[in-house]
Amino acid sequence: MELIVAVAACHHAPAPHGVAAGPSRTTEVTLFTDGAFVEQAIDVEVGDAPVAVHASVPYDVAPEDIIVVERGSLEIGAVHTALAAHELAVIAAEPSEDVEPTNDSEEVAAPPGRRGVLDPPRAVEVIVRGPRGHHVVHLGYLTTAMVFSAAYTITTTAARDRATVRGALAIENLTNVALLHADVTLVDRSSDEWSAHQRATLLAQLGGPPVDPGPVRHPLGMLDLVNGQTRVELLPDEPPRQMRSVLVYDPFGTALDNPAPTPRTDTELGLHASTVVTESFAIERPARTVAGMPGGPVRLLERRHDGSVAVLGESRLFDAATQKARVDTIPVGTADGVTARRERVELTVDLDLKRVVEEIAIVVVNARSAPIDVVLREHAYRGATWTLAYQSTPTAELEGTQQFAMHARVAPNTTLRTSHTVVYRW
């Protein structure tokens, strides 16, 4: 992983005279989908001689990956790490180059960390010197040994007009380093995506092209990230939301989405679409309370009059594809008497102008004796740089980076044809 951070310059210092380090102050942890960036704040009392500051970091953090994020008025010397005990055991067990291996040496047991037991942390020593008195050294590193997952439930009543959303976040600390009283923030993107956005934002500030708001940081507050699992309740005080029945036609989902700026030009892409329209429930999403929430699976539950609970449907919430949506839709089955088909009207690829134009028609057949309202969910699946140039429906709402929704009303026993055009440029 790569992450953009502010790094203080390091200077060489003489050998240490003694060791002094106090308890950690505020440790900051930023969780990403592929790991975590940890900034440990370590108190140190500096005298006339250089001082060695000691800390523990996860086993997967190499010495060259440790950075001094903030040093104040201190001068930073070398950063050393010591080999863990099981590493030394492996080295001692390795046969010499001039000795033929025996069966005993070939059967040396694997280190504990290779057999499912957490690897011990690395010991880090940072040499500092500076003005006498109290200072704080901030050490930063990326680790892949801290991961998270989220899951949600939506509970409604037999009336099915309102629903309550609840969630839980599980943080797995596999670093073997307990991070107590840590200020934890979650970014539901990879560290590379976050770094790319930070880089683009910096370029925009220097006069470069403007950038979208990008990933949202979601603060989780002060947590004790001990070894193992830490659970955090999500949306604990969220009031009930309005819920309504809706039909949805989403033939591909996100399966075809290409997040790259250069679009795919395959002529077969998007031709073989499903004809299934789903009965779904749409639950309002108040943006003020869900910004930056982590994506995860969701189950829609119905609490009946007798107190029993039944599962109505399953889906996902808060994924990147739907980060700008105003509602969340949960499919609960196939719509009887309603079908749809997706047809390509035009595909023009102009490599000289770096432009792809694709026109799509959607035909909705309503065999019911009552009118229906249907959400036509489309994906700009060819690439990330796109524009909805035309749609025949009255409205179209952006739901995510490559997802938008159009709304249509179809009269009873009627066939409705809609069309829209997406233009890709790179």
Side-chain angles (χ1 to χ4, degrees):
M1 294 185 291
E2 175 190 2
L3 196 69
I4 295 180
V5 293
V7 183
C10 294
H11 306 279
H12 291 288
H17 177 70
V19 176
S24 172
R25 290 177 59 187
T26 302
T27 293
E28 297 183 5
V29 177
T30 303
L31 298 171
F32 299 100
T33 55
D34 57 348
F37 180 76
V38 180
E39 181 181 329
Q40 286 185 259
I42 304 174
D43 293 331
V44 57
E45 296 295 332
V46 177
D48 296 327
V51 174
V53 178
H54 289 162
S56 295
V57 300
Y59 176 80
D60 68 327
V61 178
E64 60 270 19
D65 296 331
I66 301 171
I67 60 175
V68 180
V69 180
E70 185 178 335
R71 63 188 175 99
S73 58
L74 292 175
E75 294 182 4
I76 306 298
V79 177
H80 304 290
T81 60
L83 288 174
H86 77 270
E87 291 180 287
L88 295 173
V90 171
I91 293 174
E94 290 178 349
S96 172
E97 292 183 359
D98 56 355
V99 176
E100 290 293 328
T102 65
N103 289 337
D104 291 337
S105 64
E106 291 174 344
E107 295 175 358
V108 173
R114 301 299 183 268
R115 298 193 303 183
V117 179
L118 295 182
D119 286 315
R122 294 180 184 268
V124 177
E125 180 183 81
V126 182
I127 310 304
V128 303
R129 67 177 302 166
R132 293 175 60 91
H134 178 268
H135 298 267
V136 180
V137 176
H138 294 253
L139 299 183
Y141 55 83
L142 280 164
T143 176
T144 59
M146 189 176 297
V147 296
F148 70 86
S149 60
Y152 301 89
T153 60
I154 299 177
T155 306
T156 186
T157 63
R160 298 184 178 180
D161 58 352
R162 300 184 71 78
T164 302
V165 184
R166 293 289 183 266
L169 180 76
I171 304 172
E172 293 283 351
N173 182 1
L174 307 176
T175 66
N176 221 353
V177 177
L179 301 173
L180 304 181
H181 310 297
D183 188 3
V184 184
T185 300
L186 184 147
V187 178
D188 195 27
R189 297 291 188 278
S190 71
S191 57
D192 286 343
E193 289 177 289
W194 177 256
S195 290
H197 182 263
Q198 295 292 89
R199 189 179 297 110
T201 301
L202 179 60
L203 291 175
Q205 293 172 349
L206 297 176
V211 295
D212 292 331
V216 177
R217 294 170 59 90
H218 185 77
L220 298 175
M222 304 298 293
L223 301 175
D224 290 334
L225 299 180
V226 297
N227 289 330
Q229 188 179 98
T230 300
R231 294 182 66 83
V232 180
E233 188 176 1
L234 300 174
L235 304 172
D237 303 315
E238 188 71 10
R241 308 176 186 179
Q242 290 188 346
M243 188 175 82
R244 69 183 188 278
S245 178
V246 66
L247 301 183
V248 177
Y249 180 57
D250 186 359
F252 298 116
T254 59
L256 303 181
D257 288 5
N258 168 34
T262 302
R264 294 172 58 186
T265 58
D266 318 32
T267 57
E268 290 293 312
L269 190 64
L271 282 186
H272 309 291
S274 168
T275 61
V276 173
V277 177
T278 61
E279 294 275 6
S280 303
F281 284 102
I283 297 98
E284 288 189 351
R285 180 196 290 189
R288 66 185 183 279
T289 61
V290 300
M293 293 291 289
V298 61
R299 302 175 77 190
L300 176 60
L301 309 176
E302 180 186 74
R303 190 176 300 280
R304 295 171 174 168
H305 295 300
D306 61 1
S308 63
V309 175
V311 178
L312 297 181
E314 298 182 352
S315 186
R316 291 187 62 85
L317 288 186
F318 310 129
D319 284 337
T322 63
Q323 62 182 346
K324 298 181 181 180
R326 296 191 301 173
V327 298
D328 294 295
T329 55
I330 314 296
V332 296
T334 301
D336 293 332
V338 181
T339 58
R341 66 179 186 270
R342 186 179 190 274
E343 304 170 349
R344 178 187 294 156
V345 178
E346 175 196 356
L347 177 64
T348 302
V349 178
D350 192 327
L351 298 180
D352 293 331
L353 294 178
K354 294 186 175 181
R355 181 177 64 188
V356 174
V357 178
E358 186 170 28
E359 182 181 350
I360 298 296
I362 298 177
V363 179
V364 182
V365 180
N366 178 19
R368 294 181 178 181
S369 59
I372 60 169
D373 293 310
V374 60
V375 176
L376 307 176
R377 180 163 289 139
E378 277 288 291
H379 297 257
Y381 44 71
R382 292 188 177 274
T385 53
W386 61 278
T387 302
L388 180 61
Y390 168 77
Q391 86 274 351
S392 62
T393 58
T395 61
E397 298 176 353
L398 181 66
E399 294 188 327
T401 54
Q402 291 179 258
Q403 179 173 303
F404 59 95
M406 300 167 292
H407 301 264
R409 186 171 182 82
V410 188
N413 299 306
T414 301
T415 297
L416 176 70
R417 182 183 179 90
T418 71
S419 63
H420 63 276
T421 303
V422 179
V423 178
Y424 302 84
R425 297 179 184 274
W426 72 99

